[in-house]
Amino acid sequence: MNSKYAFLLLIFTGFFGSFIIYYLLASIINPYGLFPWGIDPIVDQDGPQKELLVRNKTSIDVLVLGSSRSTLLSDDYLDNISLFNFANTLGRTEDAYAILSTLIYDYKLKPKVVIYGLDVEAFNPDEEFNSFLLSNPKYFNKLVDNLKELRRQTLILKRIFSVFYIKDMMMSITARKQYANYIVDQNGILEKPFKGSSCEWKGDTMFFLQKQYKSKELSEKRINYFRKFINLTSNENITLIVFITPLNPSVFQEVNKTTTYSHRLEKTINLLKEYDNSIYFFDLSDNLAFGGNPLFYYDCVHPNRNNSNKIMMKIYPGFSNVI
């Protein structure tokens, strides 16, 4: 074969071969086909599932927001009440604001009550934005205060060729097996298996938390989104319940000693107290605050269904007269 044509065939094969490989990777990263092109890795697979579910809702009485620590808050003790749980991985303040804004303005779903399970990490100054938000125009466009930063973060070349993108892809592939055993019901409540040990992965959990608490400061941009979130609930006449999520007691003690967690917790509590007239606030960071059982956690930071029900019973007085 003519060397010129062989060279062209090589280029042609390489180009389309790369496209097919990228498409297969995108299928793994974005298994629901919910987001265009699969440009951003979706490690949190319950987020896309819940996005698809919420589109079928006609009304919601109680909306749950927050991180994976709030995904088991349910309507077990709420009779004749429509609850939807949209908590998903990360649960930063911009996630809460973007999701609630989208439900109200795009899907015409205005809940009577919003329960926000707030991790102290929600104000982390060192983390990028959630890829779930970045990949969906409805949510992306709600973050108007940071559009330039967001566009830099979502540049295709940056995402494809950065080390962090490759790391996220590997996390996504690993997470598929983990999430395959979880069931999201029609109300977005994530069923997670009880692993038997209350703190089975303590080393991994401490590594994660130590990365989260390098700084003593709260992120100003995330404080700003929190204020916008509160203003949104106030303007729409929505009752807002905010509680600080707990950790397994052994992790809670250790993270207090070895990281800046206690400093950030104190600042978070002081910030929330500024809004006493606008929100119902519950500090449940300590397991004793809601009568939690130290055994009823999985991987050290996530309350299982039993402890999640205890949390719901603790905060229920904050909205019992609204619904």
Side-chain angles (χ1 to χ4, degrees):
M1 181 184 291
N2 187 298
S3 59
K4 178 181 177 181
Y5 290 113
F7 179 70
L8 290 175
L9 180 61
L10 180 64
I11 293 176
F12 181 83
T13 304
F15 176 79
F16 281 98
S18 299
F19 179 80
I20 291 170
I21 291 171
Y22 182 75
Y23 177 80
L24 292 174
L25 285 174
S27 299
I28 294 172
I29 294 164
N30 180 19
Y32 300 96
L34 184 62
F35 306 121
W37 304 107
I39 290 171
D40 285 280
I42 306 299
V43 177
D44 162 31
Q45 293 194 30
D46 56 348
Q49 288 184 63
K50 293 181 181 187
E51 160 66 16
L52 293 175
L53 286 168
V54 81
R55 295 178 182 185
N56 298 320
K57 295 293 180 181
T58 56
S59 66
I60 298 173
D61 294 324
V62 178
L63 175 69
V64 176
L65 298 173
S67 75
S68 54
R69 294 177 207 169
S70 298
T71 51
L72 291 177
L73 288 177
S74 70
D75 55 359
D76 286 353
Y77 293 97
L78 305 178
D79 295 329
N80 301 316
I81 292 172
S82 169
L83 177 145
F84 189 82
N85 189 316
F86 212 135
N88 59 85
T89 299
L90 296 183
R92 311 291 190 216
T93 55
E94 67 272 14
D95 295 67
Y97 173 71
I99 290 171
L100 182 59
S101 299
T102 300
L103 294 191
I104 292 174
Y105 300 125
D106 293 88
Y107 296 146
K108 309 304 178 187
L109 291 169
K110 189 175 85 168
K112 297 175 182 176
V113 176
V114 171
I115 299 172
Y116 183 20
L118 181 72
D119 302 348
V120 179
E121 299 99 278
F123 296 105
N124 191 341
D126 303 317
E127 288 289 313
E128 287 191 332
F129 288 95
N130 190 345
S131 56
F132 171 66
L133 302 182
L134 302 182
S135 301
N136 191 315
K138 287 187 177 70
Y139 300 101
F140 183 97
N141 291 331
K142 303 299 186 296
L143 307 179
V144 293
D145 293 346
N146 297 90
L147 283 183
K148 288 185 178 179
E149 178 183 352
L150 291 168
R151 290 191 179 109
R152 285 197 300 271
Q153 188 177 327
T154 54
L155 287 173
I156 295 177
L157 290 179
K158 178 183 176 183
R159 300 302 295 177
I160 292 177
F161 294 108
S162 77
V163 173
F164 299 105
Y165 183 81
I166 297 171
K167 181 184 72 172
D168 283 349
M169 286 197 302
M170 296 308 298
M171 288 177 65
S172 299
I173 295 168
T174 304
R176 285 199 75 182
K177 182 177 180 181
Q178 178 186 1
Y179 276 88
N181 297 321
Y182 298 162
I183 300 171
V184 178
D185 69 17
Q186 63 180 358
N187 295 318
I189 300 163
L190 191 61
E191 301 287 353
K192 300 202 177 201
F194 177 63
K195 299 186 185 335
S197 169
S198 63
C199 210
E200 188 173 338
W201 299 332
K202 187 170 181 178
D204 293 342
T205 300
M206 285 305 302
F207 177 73
F208 167 77
L209 290 173
Q210 285 164 356
K211 284 177 62 181
Q212 296 292 311
Y213 294 107
K214 294 178 181 178
S215 169
K216 294 181 180 180
E217 302 305 318
L218 305 184
S219 164
E220 285 298 325
K221 70 183 176 186
R222 291 192 158 115
I223 290 174
N224 181 52
Y225 279 116
F226 184 65
R227 288 178 175 143
K228 293 179 71 169
F229 174 63
I230 290 177
N231 289 337
L232 177 61
T233 59
S234 178
N235 293 339
E236 295 292 337
N237 198 29
I238 296 170
T239 298
L240 177 58
I241 313 293
V242 179
F243 72 92
I244 296 180
T245 57
L247 302 171
N248 178 284
S250 63
V251 171
F252 180 72
Q253 293 172 6
E254 190 167 339
V255 82
N256 263 321
K257 294 177 184 176
T258 60
T259 72
T260 62
Y261 177 87
S262 60
H263 299 278
R264 296 249 294 271
L265 175 60
E266 182 181 2
K267 290 184 177 183
T268 300
I269 291 171
N270 290 336
L271 175 66
L272 293 174
K273 285 181 177 178
E274 293 179 18
Y275 297 96
D276 275 346
N277 295 329
S278 305
I279 67 175
Y280 291 93
F281 167 52
F282 297 84
D283 177 11
L284 305 185
S285 56
D286 190 324
N287 194 64
L288 297 175
F290 63 99
N293 187 326
L295 295 177
F296 293 152
Y297 288 82
Y298 59 92
D299 61 19
C300 310
V301 294
H302 296 86
N304 71 2
R305 190 70 168 248
N306 183 293
N307 272 344
S308 294
N309 284 339
K310 289 186 176 185
I311 290 172
M312 184 63 85
M313 286 188 286
K314 181 71 177 180
I315 64 178
Y316 179 66
F319 63 92
S320 58
N321 62 335
V322 179
I323 52 178

